[in-house]
Amino acid sequence: PEFHGNPNFASCLLPDHLISMAELDLLTQNVVCAHSETCQFLQENLQVIRWETFSQSEVHGFQQKPMDHMWERCVCHITNAIQQIVEFAKRLNGFMELNPNDQIVLLKAGAMELLLLRMSRAFNCYNNTIFFEGKYAPLDLFQSLGCNDLISAMFDLCHSLCAVNLSEYEMAFYSAMILLDPTQPWLQEKEKVQSLHVKLDVAFRNLLRRTHRESILGKLPQRGRLLSICQVHMEKLKVFRQMYPGMAWERFPPLYRELFV
Ligand code: CLR
């Protein structure tokens, strides 16, 4: 009873380090702030326009656009979203202290996966539409891109994620843990990433315990499913580059080109 409420005694014993409750709280605050400051669209704002969908003739208008034009437009939006994901990474405690090589390794591997997670926030699973240029768009609006299979895999993933109904806290932790993945090959200081990952894991589990949400861990989509979508994205990009050698690729933003060469 003497020790009750003393954060130093309420710490969790781990192989190499002790994490106090105070440290867990700070970490939670950090991860959640990093997410909310970089998530572009607040959940409550998206909620307000959730039912504003493009009309049939607007959809038709998008479908008439040339393939390279639609690609350029989508790639531009994706790049802006990834810029925010880079910003998210930079705000996570410890990320900027990794060496620059490892920062790039993690972002190259994780940026698209994080975008897929964020996509589920902007998805209306009741009518299968996704937020795009101010309104909600159905799958066939993107027809002229020539990758319906990819986009429908993305929509399916959104469905699975929506079913879990992640809170912004959970989304923040899940994103941070996917990004700080110590198993990425080519990391030079694996142990540093490992130690950040362990702390996140403890903090995430602690949050889930307190909110009685441990059951979501079994419901989150398999990592392989995210990876396979990223793979297909790369393949589609390759096909597109072959169709429009030179010029279209050069008009893509440098950040996108750097991450997806
Ligand atoms: C995801 C959540 C981000 C903001 C954001 C920006 C760009 C959007 C993306 C969201 C969702 C998916 C999206 C994308 C632009 C194009 C893409 C609508 C809302 C569609 C699915 C087309 C993908 C085509 C390629 C992979 C070629 O905070």
Side-chain angles (χ1 to χ4, degrees):
E2 263 173 276
F3 299 145
H4 187 75
N6 183 332
N8 293 321
F9 291 98
S11 54
C12 320
L13 190 56
L14 285 153
D16 302 310
H17 28 252
L18 287 162
I19 304 180
S20 67
M21 286 310 237
E23 202 182 332
L24 286 188
D25 282 345
L26 280 177
L27 185 59
T28 304
Q29 252 177 55
N30 166 246
V31 172
V32 170
C33 286
H35 171 75
S36 65
E37 289 164 3
T38 61
C39 66
Q40 286 180 299
F41 306 105
L42 291 177
Q43 201 60 265
E44 55 261 39
N45 296 343
L46 287 167
Q47 206 60 46
V48 174
I49 52 165
R50 184 121 299 187
W51 298 101
E52 285 181 28
T53 45
F54 285 108
S55 70
Q56 198 47 56
S57 70
E58 284 172 317
V59 169
H60 193 69
F62 280 107
Q63 290 172 338
Q64 298 302 304
K65 303 244 188 288
M67 185 184 214
D68 61 332
H69 171 95
M70 257 324 250
W71 263 86
E72 209 182 325
R73 228 154 129 168
C74 288
V75 160
C76 178
H77 296 306
I78 289 174
T79 306
N80 289 337
I82 286 179
Q83 210 125 41
Q84 292 305 302
I85 288 168
V86 173
E87 199 51 49
F88 167 72
K90 287 166 72 177
R91 287 172 194 225
L92 289 176
N93 285 346
F95 186 85
M96 291 307 276
E97 279 76 64
L98 298 173
N99 76 48
N101 169 78
D102 290 0
Q103 294 178 13
I104 291 169
V105 167
L106 295 176
L107 280 169
K108 246 183 164 266
M112 194 63 188
E113 280 182 86
L114 262 57
L115 182 71
L116 292 172
L117 299 183
R118 288 184 168 202
M119 207 173 140
S120 69
R121 299 171 74 249
F123 186 73
N124 181 344
C125 61
Y126 299 101
N127 61 5
N128 272 311
T129 55
I130 188 101
F131 184 71
F132 176 74
E133 301 191 354
K135 283 191 201 175
Y136 276 74
L139 178 75
D140 58 348
L141 181 142
F142 303 101
Q143 192 175 278
S144 63
L145 292 168
C147 42
N148 273 352
D149 47 349
L150 168 61
I151 302 169
S152 92
M154 288 173 157
F155 277 36
D156 284 348
L157 179 78
C158 286
H159 251 290
S160 311
L161 282 165
C162 287
V164 188
N165 211 339
L166 292 173
S167 70
E168 291 291 279
Y169 276 67
E170 293 161 353
M171 175 71 68
F173 268 111
Y174 188 34
S175 305
M177 290 186 65
I178 285 195
L179 183 69
L180 292 167
D181 176 4
T183 68
Q184 287 301 336
W186 311 116
L187 283 176
Q188 288 167 355
E189 302 173 317
K190 224 181 243 313
E191 327 70 47
K192 271 194 175 179
V193 181
Q194 177 74 41
S195 117
L196 292 172
H197 191 86
V198 168
K199 287 182 186 176
L200 285 170
D201 191 64
V202 174
F204 190 25
R205 281 173 200 279
N206 182 59
L207 170 79
L208 293 178
R209 196 173 331 110
R210 282 194 317 226
T211 50
H212 308 289
R213 287 274 290 169
E214 290 112 321
S215 63
I216 68 163
L217 289 174
K219 294 183 200 148
L220 294 169
Q222 299 277 306
R223 190 74 186 277
R225 206 165 143 201
L226 297 181
L227 292 176
S228 94
I229 295 177
C230 297
Q231 205 88 49
V232 179
H233 167 243
M234 301 290 255
E235 278 158 26
K236 293 292 172 186
L237 182 62
K238 212 161 100 194
V239 172
F240 175 76
R241 283 178 69 181
Q242 279 158 5
M243 284 169 88
Y244 295 89
M247 50 177 263
W249 177 249
E250 257 116 63
R251 288 203 306 264
F252 286 179
L255 176 63
Y256 182 89
R257 287 187 289 173
E258 204 180 310
L259 287 174
F260 306 116
V261 270

